[in-house]
Amino acid sequence: LYFNVMENKNTFKFVVVGGGIAGVTCVEQLASQFPSADLALITAGPHIKAVTNFKQVSKTLEEFSVEERPFTLLEEKYSNLTFILSAVKALDAKSHCLETTDGKVYGYEKLCICSGARPKLFTEDNPYVLGIRDTDSAQDFQKRLSQAKRIVLIGNGGIALELVHEVRGCEVIWAIKDKAIGNTFFDAGAAQFLIPSLETPKAQKPFPCKRPRYTVEETAGGTHGSALGPDWHEGIVLQGAEQGHRVVVEYQCEVEKIFTSTDVLVSEIAPNLETVGSWPVYIKLNNDKTYGCDLIVSATGVVPNTDPFLHGNDFVLANDGGLQVDEQMRTSELDIYAAGDVCTACWKHSPLWQQMRLWTQARQMGWHAARCMAAHALSESIELDFCFELFSHITKFFNYKVVLLGKFNAQGLGPNHELLVRCTKGQEYVKVVLSEGRMVGAVLIGETDLEETFENLILNQMDLTPYGEDLLNPNIDIEDYFD
Ligand code: FAD
């Protein structure tokens, strides 16, 4: 094997693959902990994602900005870090070597794979179907949207929610398989609260946003670029070919078939062409509706980027295709760790935490992986970090601040839970999930100012039965109450 003949290969103490949030956090932590060890960051694009303005909002909630930076900044900061601009194409776990697409081979003592994930397209190789993942695909989408009168959006997660709110000047047919919008993040009540925002025209000036915009500039990332993150659309205008904004939601349906304008003449929709209209592409949903459109956006989740690492190795993969990692971020292969979107957390989770492929978790996992690699290199032991105790996420949807805590959607609780809800139309939506009188989750939409108090109540698992519905009584200052 080529790995055996490479006598002059460069060997590093630590190698990290991936210049996204997980990889950069991991390599920075390692570089500062081992200032005289040789480290390498191998990544496919010349830009890396750096976390800046990190702010711990409460015990577990964190806010930070993300900046796309040239890799040279990292090299300048850490003299022991070598940056390798190339994609990994093969790994030989046994001989602790990696090969990159430019034909070079690198050895490692410990490796962390942070290669992220790519959009799960419901159909491959259809030029009318695109996924949005990185700067390049966002630019491609923007260009094609500017000529479009109607797009069909498939999917119901965070990206779909943002798109449906941001796209202007183009009709959006939004096909979701659930009964309510935003199913990944919300229940039907929260969806109902947000629906009016779909109908109101977008404010000329968006609310001030604390996070900086992404600079959308040329990258050489190709198909390996890092994932965009919060506010990815702020730096680009998502304007279609017309004026106005119309969203039609098709609930509880999936894609049955896609036709191009040439197929259509011989297809079952040919007799209905008059009502369907003439479009470059058509999509038939399993609720028997067919829509013609200019473009189909597939926002149906992601697939971990594991391909280059699997051949010839014995990685155990999770059902979602991620590299299984234990609470020390170790994969099933010796000396190989993984963090961020590429991995699946397979340790026994705290009852209040779940993995979601999000920005914050990519940072937390990258950081924890580095600490575990360091501890193991020094033959020390390390415990799971506190941030994995409670799921917490802060974001914005439809210009509302959204805070999600714990089992915010009663995930895995079955019928064994109770919900308390308070809602003021256009202002706030507060939902609390209680299990056996204890708070186990919450959804806070709007400026509720409740996140810290609720986080404490969830973490301390106090019996809240005596307080009943007063918990959400707007006339009671709950912060004082539990002080
Ligand atoms: P990535 O950021 O994808 O980085 C992977 C890195 O690996 C890249 O640098 C890539 O170049 C490199 N790479 C890949 N393959 C190879 C290879 N073979 N060899 C070498 N290098 C390789 N999360 C939120 O929390 N909030 C949001 O609002 C939000 N919005 C999003 C909007 C969009 C459009 C998208 C796509 C994602 C969004 N996310 C959001 C998710 C978030 O961006 C990801 O969870 C996070 O970026 C994952 O970080 P990562 O470091 O694991 O992977």
Side-chain angles (χ1 to χ4, degrees):
L1 257 161
Y2 57 88
F3 289 115
N4 298 332
V5 289
M6 294 304 298
E7 273 156 20
N8 292 332
K9 67 179 190 291
N10 281 320
T11 296
F12 298 90
K13 187 170 181 68
F14 299 112
V15 171
V16 177
V17 177
I21 286 299
V24 172
T25 310
C26 180
V27 87
E28 284 209 82
Q29 174 69 21
L30 287 167
S32 52
Q33 219 171 320
F34 292 88
S36 48
D38 281 338
L39 266 78
L41 176 66
I42 307 183
T43 189
H47 290 95
I48 49 117
K49 292 270 165 74
V51 170
T52 57
N53 304 327
F54 180 81
K55 190 173 137 208
Q56 194 76 44
V57 180
S58 62
K59 286 194 189 82
T60 60
L61 275 169
E62 19 184 270
E63 249 184 327
F64 53 83
S65 319
V66 174
E67 281 173 24
E68 213 170 58
R69 293 183 168 169
F71 68 85
T72 41
L73 288 183
L74 262 195
E75 275 191 321
E76 283 160 22
K77 197 165 161 195
Y78 303 101
S79 57
N80 58 333
L81 177 65
T82 304
F83 186 90
I84 298 160
L85 177 57
S86 191
V88 171
K89 74 167 190 204
L91 164 70
D92 184 352
K94 279 189 194 67
S95 63
H96 284 47
C97 285
L98 288 161
E99 191 190 15
T100 49
T101 45
D102 56 7
K104 299 209 171 108
V105 175
Y106 301 94
Y108 60 84
E109 286 175 31
K110 291 200 187 299
L111 167 72
C112 189
I113 302 176
C114 305
S115 50
R118 59 183 188 280
K120 191 197 295 167
L121 296 186
F122 63 87
T123 172
E124 298 287 336
D125 299 326
N126 185 320
Y128 292 103
V129 178
L130 62 93
I132 298 172
R133 179 72 194 159
D134 48 20
T135 323
D136 291 349
S137 54
Q139 278 177 323
D140 182 30
F141 171 60
Q142 178 191 29
K143 206 161 105 205
R144 293 172 68 176
L145 178 69
S146 67
Q147 313 284 319
K149 296 192 181 98
R150 184 194 282 162
I151 63 168
V152 174
L153 173 61
I154 313 290
N156 200 13
I159 296 172
L161 272 172
E162 294 197 26
L163 268 186
V164 83
H165 187 244
E166 291 302 319
V167 167
R168 301 289 116 179
C170 178
E171 186 180 9
V172 180
I173 310 295
W174 187 13
I176 60 177
K177 64 176 176 5
D178 315 294
K179 281 190 193 145
I181 64 163
N183 194 50
T184 325
F185 294 98
F186 306 124
D187 58 1
Q192 218 42 49
F193 172 84
L194 290 171
I195 283 275
S197 309
L198 277 184
E199 284 140 22
T200 35
K202 192 184 162 199
Q204 279 295 310
K205 249 190 170 176
F207 287 15
C209 178
K210 285 190 211 117
R211 296 177 302 235
R213 293 158 182 213
Y214 291 91
T215 43
V216 178
E217 46 187 70
E218 286 288 307
T219 71
T223 52
H224 292 291
S226 12
L228 295 160
D231 309 330
W232 61 276
H233 43 75
E234 292 275 308
I236 49 176
V237 181
L238 295 181
Q239 174 70 39
E242 299 194 319
Q243 294 303 312
H245 174 60
R246 193 170 108 91
V247 178
V248 177
V249 189
E250 289 290 348
Y251 293 95
Q252 292 182 280
C253 62
E254 287 182 47
V255 180
E256 200 172 285
K257 211 167 179 177
I258 295 178
F259 307 84
T260 61
S261 51
T262 19
D263 306 329
V264 86
L265 297 171
V266 289
S267 76
E268 68 253 45
I269 62 163
N272 304 324
L273 255 192
E274 227 164 84
T275 44
V276 178
S278 169
W279 296 89
V281 64
Y282 299 83
I283 182 162
K284 183 166 191 255
L285 303 171
N286 64 357
N287 63 3
D288 256 357
K289 292 198 181 158
T290 301
Y291 285 99
C293 61
D294 295 293
L295 188 64
I296 299 162
V297 181
S298 174
T300 47
V302 293
V303 190
N305 284 326
T306 56
D307 294 355
F309 308 98
L310 301 182
H311 183 75
N313 301 312
D314 286 326
F315 285 107
V316 179
L317 297 184
N319 289 340
D320 61 6
L323 299 172
Q324 278 201 14
V325 290
D326 64 10
E327 76 292 343
Q328 312 266 303
M329 307 309 289
R330 287 177 296 215
T331 66
S332 50
E333 283 285 9
L334 183 68
D335 293 325
I336 304 184
Y337 299 71
D341 282 7
V342 73
C343 78
T344 305
C346 287
W347 62 81
K348 191 173 181 307
H349 299 169
S350 137
L352 301 168
W353 186 85
Q354 60 271 333
Q355 181 180 9
M356 286 182 84
R357 287 190 164 82
L358 294 168
W359 200 262
T360 8
Q361 292 197 355
R363 196 199 68 80
Q364 293 166 341
M365 288 181 172
W367 186 74
H368 183 55
R371 290 180 65 246
C372 292
M373 291 164 82
H376 298 156
L378 301 169
S379 305
E380 289 171 0
S381 63
I382 188 158
E383 293 203 340
L384 189 63
D385 193 80
F386 180 73
C387 63
F388 299 104
E389 270 306 300
L390 173 66
F391 173 87
S392 56
H393 184 55
I394 185 161
T395 187
K396 269 192 177 188
F397 284 125
F398 300 3
N399 275 335
Y400 287 101
K401 174 176 167 183
V402 175
V403 175
L404 305 170
L405 293 170
K407 300 283 167 185
F408 60 87
N409 239 347
Q411 295 95 326
L413 296 179
N416 184 22
H417 70 275
E418 212 187 316
L419 300 178
L420 291 180
V421 176
R422 175 173 102 195
C423 179
T424 312
K425 212 173 159 199
Q427 204 178 324
E428 61 159 28
Y429 175 88
V430 178
K431 181 185 82 174
V432 161
V433 184
L434 296 164
S435 175
E436 292 168 9
R438 273 126 179 121
M439 196 183 292
V440 291
V443 174
L444 309 172
I445 308 180
E447 296 298 329
T448 66
D449 225 10
L450 289 169
E451 51 268 31
E452 225 174 322
T453 313
F454 280 10
E455 181 192 51
N456 281 332
L457 291 176
I458 296 176
L459 283 170
N460 68 25
Q461 286 295 287
M462 177 175 164
D463 184 3
L464 299 168
T465 323
Y467 305 97
E469 291 183 3
D470 270 353
L471 256 187
L472 294 190
N473 184 340
N475 301 319
I476 294 178
D477 185 345
I478 192 135
E479 225 175 314
D480 270 5
Y481 211 65
F482 288 104
D483 233 1

